[in-house]
Amino acid sequence: MVIFRWYRSIPSWSLPVVLALLLVLAPYLGVGSGTQRLLLLTCILSLVTSGLSLSFGYAGELALGQTAMYATGAYLTGYLAMHWVNDALLLVALSAVAALVVGLVSGVPGLRLGGWSLAMTSFFLVLLVPQFLDLLEKYTGGAIGMVGIPAPKMFGHKLTAVGFYLLVAIITVVWFALMRNLITSRHGIAFQVLRQSPVLASSLGISVYRLKLTAYAVGAIPAGIAGALFAYVDKYLSPHSFGFTLAVTVLAAAILGGAKSIYGPLVGAAVMQYGPLRSSDFEQYSQVIYGIFLIVAGTLVANGVAGLVTKGLRRLENRFAGAPPGGEVDLAAPSHRHTALSLPPMEGARLEVTGIRKNFGGLQALGGVSLVAEPGRITALIGPNGSGKTTLLNMICGYYKTDEGTITVGGEDITGRPTHRVARAGVSRTFQTPLFPEDISVGEAVAAGSYMSPYVGMPSSILRLPAYRRAAASDQDRVSRVLGLLGLTDLAGVEAASLPLGTRRLLEVARALVSSPRVLLLDEVASGLDEDEIERLAEIIRAIRDAGTTVILVEHNFKLVLSLADTIRVLAQGELIASGSPAEIENHPRVLTEYLGVRQEAQS
Ligand code: ADP
Ligand code: MG
């Protein structure tokens, strides 16, 4: 217990900092040259692996092209050091750029085609590396290899063995520090959302294609850097070092360390270097052993060693710190009851849907629906199951292409725009089935809603520039305000996906609200909530309307609709059959017949 409290009081960055110091200072701590070499190779392998874990572990795209980028860096550095200028830092930088270019060139077609094509393209890229090296024999030395690479120099001075070790160790430490900054920024959350749910990612304004390409291209950089460093290790390059075995080694290191983990690649690379790669007998059987290992590890330790450690720590934490596993929010509790409900003004936009038609195969889901939703008003959309309500929301969001008709937001035509661009026009939504990626806390899930507002680029996030700091601070403000509004403050640290349905629905509203949307689409947010929760939700929706947003409320609960809506549209079998004020709809003859069931329920 005491130990545990002590453990919790140390900041999370202290362990990495201590390890980084040990790594950099190893030569001065009596570590022999043999071990130094192993550490050096571990650093190099961990850099390559880190690239894979960014695209595979975080962005969810299995792409093995790192071997090709590694080879690019290595041969480029070897060649330039011999024939142009031998400056390790300059060549490391050039190799990073060259690798980035290889990443973009192979990533664009691979990702454009979608599905598994990046996995395929990058796989073939890896298989082609030896052929390329052969083809460029004049420069690479072909099968014989590149011989005669000079010892590294920096600013005209030859580096000693220890000097080179320091260079590699420091570059590795800096890279992992930058990766940590990236992963703990909004982009890290965006990666997790992207990996688990591209649909959700695009509804938050994230361009799935661009973010995946970025992850793959950024992941190319450390591979190129690692290649440049590797060229100086033995001052000799052989095509054998860049074959398929390397690709599998990197994959094994990534999975072993935990692909979705910042420092996992270091753990995986260390295990690979100290274990299998050291024994020469191993070479012969390496692919078989890796293959078996990957199958076993892939099924048993999904998140690698780093994942196991994190899980273990979390379990200990729950046990000793007596942290309530939590989940239920008591919305009826006095603390929630008396929270004043006021939202800062939001700028709504008029949503106009004209003549929208959509067929799925032979089935007509929408047969020419037109409606207008005004800012500062709640427009309810009701209708029996299967009448096309969700489909209409999906059309507005750009998930489906319209067969006919137009959609405008604030006078701007958004018909046919991809989902992430509709989101960027200020349209925010909740999902009928709440969508929350695993391993994301409530706070992070809500913060994900403001990925685009304002957008902070990766360079700013990685370098923690003022733009990032400002956005991070305002994110935190907005997130805690919205969580407070919904009475979810106490749950900020709890895993979102583990919450009960009712709470997840409220969380969907929180996530949609945090970006101050111009148009808010709510799809059956009240279903599964109890009376108290519904009452709270109704207050919140009113507050959102009063703040000025355009609200579209798709809802089954007729009583709730009557009490909330300013105006109601009724859909049946993809056609609008009635529209009017709550009083008019309540007494509308066609609605009465279509909704007899619902009305009896509402009156009882
Ligand atoms: P609601 O939300 O009003 O209950 P939906 O919009 O989900 O209804 O569905 C309207 C109709 O369109 C249903 O008949 C449904 O089966 C059909 N539909 C919805 N999405 C698809 C799809 N992706 N492919 C085929 N049919 C679909
Ligand atoms: Mg629906």
Side-chain angles (χ1 to χ4, degrees), residues 61-106:
E61 199 65 37
L62 179 59
L64 296 170
Q66 290 75 23
T67 314
M69 298 144 191
Y70 181 58
T72 307
Y75 277 92
L76 186 72
T77 296
Y79 186 83
L80 293 181
M82 284 193 286
H83 301 286
W84 183 54
V85 58
N86 178 19
D87 185 285
L89 266 190
L90 176 69
L91 295 181
V92 161
L94 280 180
S95 300
V97 174
L100 181 65
V101 172
V102 174
L104 288 172
V105 168
S106 59

Side-chain angles (χ1 to χ4, degrees), residues 385-386 388-391 432 523-524 554 556:
N385 258 332
K389 305 179 298 291
T390 299
T391 304
Q432 191 169 347
D523 198 354
E524 314 245 358
V554 169
H556 252 123

Side-chain angles (χ1 to χ4, degrees), residues 235-310:
K235 299 163 193 77
Y236 163 72
L237 296 174
S238 147
H240 293 297
S241 316
F242 303 94
F244 191 60
T245 308
L246 176 68
V248 183
T249 306
V250 173
L251 185 60
I255 292 182
L256 186 63
K260 211 190 79 186
S261 135
I262 299 169
Y263 306 114
L266 273 165
V267 179
V271 174
M272 295 308 282
Q273 283 301 352
Y274 280 81
L277 294 184
R278 246 176 129 181
S279 117
S280 52
D281 300 338
F282 181 77
E283 193 67 48
Q284 216 176 334
Y285 305 106
S286 59
Q287 295 204 7
V288 179
I289 296 175
Y290 286 159
I292 294 172
F293 164 76
L294 284 175
I295 293 169
V296 174
T299 44
L300 288 186
V301 277
N303 289 318
V305 176
L308 282 181
V309 172
T310 322

Side-chain angles (χ1 to χ4, degrees), residues 525-584:
V525 269
S527 67
L529 301 192
D530 64 30
E531 286 286 316
D532 287 324
E533 288 171 325
I534 289 181
E535 198 179 302
R536 178 74 187 180
L537 182 73
E539 271 178 65
I540 291 161
I541 295 174
R542 276 192 201 102
I544 296 172
R545 172 205 47 205
D546 295 341
T549 298
T550 307
V551 180
I552 296 241
L553 177 71
V554 169
E555 187 47 63
H556 252 123
N557 184 329
F558 199 47
K559 204 166 116 191
L560 179 65
V561 168
L562 291 178
S563 80
L564 268 181
D566 296 298
T567 168
I568 301 177
R569 306 278 177 278
V570 187
L571 265 183
Q573 292 165 348
E575 315 260 358
L576 272 186
I577 58 162
S579 79
S581 67
E584 286 163 348

Side-chain angles (χ1 to χ4, degrees), residues 74-388:
Y75 277 92
L76 186 72
T77 296
Y79 186 83
L80 293 181
M82 284 193 286
H83 301 286
W84 183 54
V85 58
N86 178 19
D87 185 285
L89 266 190
L90 176 69
L91 295 181
V92 161
L94 280 180
S95 300
V97 174
L100 181 65
V101 172
V102 174
L104 288 172
V105 168
S106 59
V108 169
L111 281 164
R112 271 267 176 248
L113 294 171
W116 283 92
S117 35
L118 183 60
M120 299 301 268
T121 344
S122 62
F123 177 73
F124 290 126
L125 192 65
V126 169
L127 292 186
L128 281 176
V129 169
Q131 271 71 29
F132 260 115
L133 294 177
D134 230 20
L135 214 66
L136 300 173
E137 193 176 351
K138 194 165 150 246
Y139 307 101
T140 63
I144 299 163
M146 184 179 268
V147 201
I149 300 171
K153 280 188 180 176
M154 247 168 83
F155 311 116
H157 299 287
K158 211 170 187 175
L159 285 178
T160 58
V162 171
F164 181 63
Y165 174 87
L166 285 179
L167 176 71
V168 175
I170 290 173
I171 288 181
T172 308
V173 166
V174 169
W175 173 262
F176 278 94
L178 297 180
M179 275 295 284
R180 178 204 158 267
N181 283 356
L182 177 65
I183 295 305
T184 54
S185 77
R186 289 169 174 185
H187 298 283
I189 304 174
F191 282 138
Q192 309 222 40
V193 173
L194 176 72
R195 188 171 69 101
Q196 297 187 43
S197 174
V199 166
L200 173 61
S202 53
S203 83
L204 300 176
I206 298 168
S207 159
V208 170
Y209 166 76
R210 273 206 41 193
L211 193 58
K212 282 193 168 177
L213 180 62
T214 310
Y216 181 65
V218 171
I221 293 173
I225 293 175
L229 297 172
F230 182 67
Y232 284 123
V233 171
D234 292 326
K235 299 163 193 77
Y236 163 72
L237 296 174
S238 147
H240 293 297
S241 316
F242 303 94
F244 191 60
T245 308
L246 176 68
V248 183
T249 306
V250 173
L251 185 60
I255 292 182
L256 186 63
K260 211 190 79 186
S261 135
I262 299 169
Y263 306 114
L266 273 165
V267 179
V271 174
M272 295 308 282
Q273 283 301 352
Y274 280 81
L277 294 184
R278 246 176 129 181
S279 117
S280 52
D281 300 338
F282 181 77
E283 193 67 48
Q284 216 176 334
Y285 305 106
S286 59
Q287 295 204 7
V288 179
I289 296 175
Y290 286 159
I292 294 172
F293 164 76
L294 284 175
I295 293 169
V296 174
T299 44
L300 288 186
V301 277
N303 289 318
V305 176
L308 282 181
V309 172
T310 322
K311 204 184 243 174
L313 282 177
R314 204 177 286 166
R315 212 169 270 170
L316 270 177
E317 199 159 335
N318 284 342
R319 188 156 195 193
F320 288 106
E328 297 286 349
V329 234
D330 186 4
L331 287 170
S335 62
H336 296 306
R337 277 265 155 101
H338 299 291
T339 328
L341 265 196
S342 82
L343 280 168
M346 294 193 278
E347 197 190 316
R350 188 181 148 101
L351 171 75
E352 204 168 337
V353 172
T354 318
I356 287 291
R357 197 177 283 283
K358 182 71 189 172
N359 286 356
F360 291 111
L363 176 109
Q364 172 185 295
L366 293 174
V369 173
S370 300
L371 64 84
V372 173
E374 302 284 354
R377 289 174 75 77
I378 296 170
T379 306
L381 189 62
I382 61 173
N385 258 332
S387 56

